[in-house]
C-alpha cells in the first residue's frame, strides 16, 4: 500500500528542515500526534529511532535508515508480518520562493497490507494534518533563525 503527499511551504528549506527534524515538537503543531519520542532523546541520526504515538492508530517504532541534511530522511518500521517506509524529501520550490515537500508512506507484508487497507483513511488524514501543521508552523516563522538546541531548559519554544 502506498500513500503520497506533496506540500508547498512558504518558508525557506533550511527553516523547514529545522522545524521538521525537531521531531519531539511535532505534537505542538500536529494535534493527531500524542508524542514523538526519539529513542536517545537526541537529534535524528542514521540508526537512531523514534516512537510515534498517534490518536486512533497503533503506536509505531521507526528507525532512521537515511538522513540527508536539509534534503530529507527515511524511516523504516517492522512488525509482525509488516514493513513500512516513511520517506520525506524537501527542496527549494521551482519558483524559488519556499519549499516543496514530498512524503511517501509504503506498507508491505501480509499484515502491513491488511493494516494499511483498514487504516488508509485515518493515515491519510494524519499525514494531511502533519504536513498542514508543518506548513502553518513554518510560515508563521517566516525563515527566522532557528537554534533548536540553543533553547534553555524550561523556556517554551515558539
Amino acid at each position: 500500500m502506498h500513500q503520497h503527499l506533496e506540500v508547498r511551504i512558504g518558508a525557506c528549506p533550511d527553516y523547514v528542515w529545522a522545524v521538521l527534524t525537531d521531531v519531539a515538537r511535532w505534537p505542538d503543531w500536529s494535534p493527531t500526534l500524542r508524542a514523538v519520542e526519539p529513542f536517545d532523546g537526541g537529534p535524528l541520526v542514521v540508526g537512531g529511532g523514534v516512537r510515534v504515538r498517534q490518536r486512533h492508530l497503533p503506536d509505531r517504532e521507526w528507525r532512521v535508515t537515511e538522513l540527508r541534511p536539509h534534503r530529507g530522511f527515511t524511516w523504516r518500521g517492522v512488525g509482525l508480518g509488516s514493513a513500512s517506509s516513511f520517506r520525506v524529501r524537501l527542496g527549494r520550490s521551482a519558483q524559488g520562493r519556499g519549499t516543496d515537500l514530498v512524503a511517501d508512506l509504503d506498507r508491505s507484508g501480509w499484515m502491513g497490507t491488511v493494516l494499511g487497507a483498514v487504516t488508509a483513511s485515518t493515515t491519510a488524514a494524519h499525514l494531511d494534518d502533519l504536513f498542514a501543521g508543518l506548513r502553518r508552523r513554518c510560515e508563521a516563522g517566516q525563515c527566522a533563525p532557528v537554534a533548536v538546541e540553543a533553547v534553555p531548559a524550561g523556556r517554551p519554544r515558539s
Side-chain angles (χ1 to χ4, degrees):
M1 169 152 220
H2 177 81
Q3 292 177 288
H4 177 83
L5 184 67
E6 296 182 19
V7 178
R8 174 153 297 141
I9 300 171
C12 67
D14 288 341
Y15 187 78
V16 174
W17 178 256
V19 173
L20 182 63
T21 56
D22 187 7
V23 297
R25 305 291 291 181
W26 286 11
D28 293 349
W29 42 262
S30 181
T32 60
L33 291 168
R34 291 183 290 134
V36 180
E37 304 158 340
F39 290 163
D40 60 3
L44 292 182
V45 295
V46 172
V50 296
R51 179 174 294 108
V52 178
R53 300 177 190 276
Q54 296 178 276
R55 299 183 200 301
H56 312 296
L57 289 173
D59 292 356
R60 188 71 192 236
E61 291 188 356
W62 299 89
R63 289 277 175 197
V64 180
T65 58
E66 179 187 22
L67 184 67
R68 295 177 54 205
H70 304 272
R71 305 279 314 266
F73 58 80
T74 302
W75 294 355
R76 294 208 190 280
V78 293
L80 179 63
S82 69
S84 299
S85 174
F86 179 55
R87 185 175 193 198
V88 178
R89 297 287 172 262
L90 62 132
R92 186 163 303 283
S93 71
Q95 290 78 18
R97 293 183 180 182
T99 303
D100 287 337
L101 183 138
V102 176
D104 291 286
L105 176 64
D106 290 292
R107 291 185 177 158
S108 60
W110 66 272
M111 186 59 141
T113 302
V114 170
L115 185 61
V118 170
T119 63
S121 63
T122 301
T123 300
H126 283 218
L127 286 173
D128 287 343
D129 176 75
L130 176 67
F131 292 114
L134 175 65
R135 181 178 51 239
R136 283 189 304 273
R137 169 63 179 91
C138 290
E139 290 176 353
Q142 294 299 308
C143 297
V146 173
V148 173
E149 289 79 22
V151 175
R155 184 175 141 214
R157 296 179 184 173
S158 57

